[in-house]
Amino acid sequence: MAMDISQPPGASTPMSRQLETAFSKIGVTGAHKKILALVLIGCLFDSFEQNTIGVAGPLLRQHWGLTGADIGLLNTITFGSAAIGRLMSGILGDRYGRRVMLTINLLLFSIGSAACALAPDFFTLCIARAIVGFGVGGEISTAVTMLSEFCSSKFRGTAAGLVNVGAGGFGNFLAPAFGLLIFTLFPGEDSWRWLFAALAVPALLAVFYRRYVPETPRFLASRNRFDEANKVLSILASGSLRPRNLVVHPYLTADATQAPVKSDWRELFRQPFLGRTIPVAIAILMSYGAQLSVLTLMPLIFVSMGYTLQGSLLYSMIIQSGSVLGAIAASTLGYYLPRKLVLTVGAALACIAAVSIAYLGSNIYMVLLFGAIFQFFVLLLNTSIWIYAPELFPTRIRAFGVALILATGSAAGSFVPLISGMLFDKYGMVGVFSLAAAMYAVFVLCIQMGPETYGRSMEDITQPAETDVPAAEPLADPLAQPAKAARA
């Protein structure tokens, strides 16, 4: 049974009903696709950055004589600061808006990457990784919150899931290839520096392009800024982020006005929200901890099996092919299936895959096969959590709620890879994947205590999403819905 207490009656307000109706009427337009693309650019390079310690680990180990525990410590610092960055970004995002935090986080990430490239010693690199963590942590949680608030109840799962298609899916898959490219172009003992430097430049370009992304209508409406909310809704309906001769349609009217509700992060620690947050936060701690341990240690595992650095990165890329498919599957299932069903089945199968690697991975072919299957379910779960988290909280505390849940995952990244690194030093691959299997077993138990949110109002999950105005018939690919004739 879900650990949840129903929200008080009346939580479904005229404003929330008008918003749901407006989003259903607008459907999915070219403006949605452009916003998705601009957000995903930054998230892709964020994912590259999160993978750099694993990719550069063998070189850092050789260059500075680092141990497996030292490599784990770099992740401890990165993801520990990411957890803090997510929390701060969530609090500020609920107070000042999602859009401003998106740009600030990406700037921090760029500055940190440049500092990593110039680090003269291990201590300085640790400080630079802390700066990277602040930016990366806030970036992802803000992106997930923002995209879920731009879309109708039917499409929001796909939109939020697509963040992890770019970040966790293609990001994890292409990170080893990106490392191989940089190491080929810039060979030598300083090639890892070029890897960090290359990640700082594209992120700055994304900052420039993101000036075209508007604030979300849900946040504006929660502040009674209805004129601005109607303008953004009209931009979405037009299909262009810079429409000519825009006609603003009054999607939200005066009868939707309500007393402004100040965002109070402490509300998250009272019912009904506390009963939702705790089990989901524990579940994501388990999933992130297992994933980041594998991402960090996989190149070292392959090197320990006698393969070269280039060979280990190539094998890591083969395993990460499962990440792409898992993230795409989660984004698709988010359109059609209840959240808890996907999370429960996915976690059980991830547990089985981890056990298979630990005890059946007798040769490289079996490791690659079960590794790819494991990564499929890992990204299926992480993407589904990203879909699930924004739906657990109303707009006034959504950014902080999402940040808190995802920060728990980042916190796992700050200590679980350190434990896995020590297990690897003592027990090898069996120790790493046995721990991962146990963590996914805990995931299955925890997720049963959360509420179901599929098809429910984003302001009150006890109410169904409003469907006063039917949306267009969904196509096989929700992104492929045609623009309405009235769009510019």
Side-chain angles (χ1 to χ4, degrees):
M1 181 178 294
M3 291 173 53
D4 194 63
I5 297 175
S6 297
Q7 288 180 269
S12 182
T13 63
M15 180 194 75
S16 67
R17 291 192 294 271
Q18 288 187 12
L19 274 169
E20 297 293 353
T21 298
F23 283 120
S24 294
K25 184 176 181 180
I26 291 169
V28 181
T29 73
H32 286 96
K33 297 175 188 178
K34 291 174 182 131
I35 291 171
L36 273 168
L38 292 172
V39 171
L40 289 180
I41 289 173
C43 292
L44 176 67
F45 286 103
D46 275 0
S47 182
F48 281 1
E49 177 55 63
Q50 291 182 66
N51 280 275
T52 50
I53 295 301
V55 172
L59 283 175
L60 289 170
R61 194 171 190 171
Q62 176 183 350
H63 185 59
W64 281 335
L66 304 183
T67 65
D70 291 330
I71 300 297
L73 177 62
L74 287 174
N75 266 351
T76 297
I77 293 169
T78 303
F79 290 97
S81 64
I84 298 172
R86 278 182 175 163
L87 293 176
M88 292 302 300
S89 182
I91 292 173
L92 295 175
D94 280 331
R95 179 170 297 183
Y96 300 111
R98 301 19 173 152
R99 183 174 180 266
V100 64
M101 295 312 301
L102 204 64
T103 300
I104 290 174
N105 291 325
L106 199 52
L107 279 172
L108 283 173
F109 155 73
S110 301
I111 293 169
S113 295
C116 287
L118 299 173
D121 51 42
F122 181 67
F123 177 75
T124 307
L125 182 61
C126 289
I127 295 175
R129 295 306 299 171
I131 298 173
V132 168
F134 276 110
V136 168
E139 165 86 3
I140 296 296
S141 61
T142 301
V144 171
T145 301
M146 198 169 194
L147 290 179
S148 69
E149 292 184 349
F150 272 120
C151 302
S152 65
S153 61
K154 194 68 175 174
F155 182 65
R156 69 186 182 224
T158 297
L162 284 172
V163 175
N164 215 26
V165 173
F170 283 102
N172 288 343
F173 174 64
L174 295 175
F178 185 72
L180 279 174
L181 175 64
I182 297 299
F183 295 158
T184 301
L185 293 175
F186 303 98
E189 64 176 17
D190 287 333
S191 55
W192 61 270
R193 297 184 185 276
W194 289 104
L195 179 62
F196 286 115
L199 290 172
V201 177
L204 290 174
L205 295 176
V207 171
F208 170 77
Y209 287 117
R210 283 188 182 180
R211 66 192 179 120
Y212 295 104
V213 178
E215 184 55 81
T216 72
R218 290 186 186 275
F219 176 81
L220 294 171
S222 72
R223 295 296 188 271
N224 281 342
R225 293 158 60 180
F226 291 138
D227 289 343
E228 295 173 70
N230 281 328
K231 182 178 179 181
V232 175
L233 288 168
S234 299
I235 288 173
L236 294 175
S238 76
S240 171
L241 293 181
R242 287 292 183 269
R244 296 181 180 179
N245 304 317
L246 176 68
V247 177
V248 177
H249 185 79
Y251 292 99
L252 306 180
T253 58
D255 62 353
T257 303
Q258 60 186 29
V261 180
K262 293 182 65 176
S263 64
D264 183 0
W265 60 269
R266 292 170 297 183
E267 189 179 357
L268 201 65
F269 300 99
R270 298 191 290 266
Q271 293 291 9
F273 306 114
L274 184 63
R276 305 173 189 177
T277 305
I278 290 177
V280 179
I282 295 174
I284 201 170
L285 185 151
M286 297 294 115
S287 186
Y288 265 48
Q291 180 200 19
L292 294 171
S293 295
V294 173
L295 284 176
T296 303
L297 295 174
M298 217 52 230
L300 291 178
I301 289 173
F302 285 126
V303 170
S304 72
M305 294 171 68
Y307 297 99
T308 64
L309 173 61
Q310 288 74 17
S312 70
L313 292 179
L314 178 60
Y315 288 142
S316 296
M317 186 176 177
I318 293 173
I319 286 178
Q320 293 300 341
S321 64
S323 299
V324 179
L325 298 176
I328 293 173
S331 185
T332 303
L333 294 176
Y335 190 79
Y336 297 104
L337 295 180
R339 314 307 186 207
K340 290 177 65 176
L341 174 64
V342 175
L343 290 167
T344 300
V345 175
L349 293 175
C351 180
I352 294 172
V355 171
S356 299
I357 298 173
Y359 296 100
L360 299 178
S362 55
N363 56 60
I364 186 63
Y365 303 106
M366 298 299 285
V367 171
L368 292 177
L369 173 62
F370 288 124
I373 294 173
F374 175 78
Q375 282 301 119
F376 174 89
F377 290 113
V378 166
L379 265 294
L380 175 74
L381 290 171
N382 288 355
T383 305
S384 297
I385 284 275
W386 289 14
I387 293 171
Y388 188 41
E391 298 176 342
L392 294 170
F393 311 103
T395 300
R396 64 183 181 273
I397 56 171
R398 180 171 299 121
F400 182 64
V402 173
L404 180 62
I405 288 175
L406 298 190
T408 307
S410 297
S414 72
F415 70 88
V416 178
L418 187 61
I419 297 173
S420 295
M422 291 187 287
L423 288 174
F424 172 69
D425 289 339
K426 189 170 184 179
Y427 300 107
M429 185 173 65
V430 172
V432 174
F433 284 98
S434 294
L435 176 63
M439 295 178 79
Y440 280 114
V442 174
F443 184 108
V444 172
L445 297 176
C446 289
I447 209 64
Q448 307 312 309
M449 294 182 280
E452 183 55 68
T453 59
Y454 179 70
R456 314 305 290 178
S457 168
M458 287 196 81
E459 303 307 321
D460 178 5
I461 63 172
T462 67
Q463 303 292 323
E466 296 296 328
T467 55
D468 295 342
V469 180
E473 287 295 319
L475 303 177
D477 176 6
L479 285 175
Q481 293 187 27
K484 296 180 174 57
R487 292 174 192 151

